[in-house]
Amino acid sequence: MERPLIAVLLLVGLIIGTGVGSSYARARRGWSDYQTAKKTVPGARRAAWLLIKVVTTKIGVILLLLIGAVAYAAAGGDDGSEPAPPNPSSTPDERPGR
């Protein structure tokens, strides 16, 4: 009677130990992955802010150029005077003098 009881307890201990061991190994892998990601976050955060800064600067320059173009077009774009009439030229039947 003692032998089957010891075998059952051994089997139950083996099953529980396997479950606990695999959970522990998974937790260790997760912790090391977390530590690796935690170390890379500051660099990635700085890179992301740098990219955002570059993009907003480019958008700002483009917006300023567009606003300037609209203001120039709204102001008329020139001094408002009429174009000068063409200079009188010689008629086709006249010969130029030497």
Side-chain angles (χ1 to χ4, degrees):
M1 184 95 182
E2 276 185 33
R3 221 171 201 140
L5 182 63
I6 292 176
V8 169
L9 289 176
L10 185 62
L11 185 62
V12 169
L14 185 65
I15 292 171
I16 291 173
T18 303
V20 169
S22 65
S23 296
Y24 177 74
R26 196 174 321 129
R28 291 284 298 186
R29 281 192 310 267
W31 181 254
S32 66
D33 291 344
Y34 167 73
Q35 291 298 324
T36 303
K38 184 179 173 184
K39 289 176 186 172
T40 61
V41 165
R45 184 178 295 144
R46 264 179 270 156
W49 279 113
L50 179 66
L51 290 174
I52 289 171
K53 184 179 175 182
V54 168
V55 168
T56 53
T57 302
K58 286 181 181 180
I59 289 173
V61 168
I62 290 170
L63 282 175
L64 285 175
L65 288 172
L66 286 174
I67 290 170
V70 168
Y72 181 75
D78 57 353
D79 61 357
S81 64
E82 292 295 320
N87 292 335
S89 62
S90 61
T91 58
D93 54 349
E94 273 186 53
R95 287 186 104 194
R98 289 190 191 199

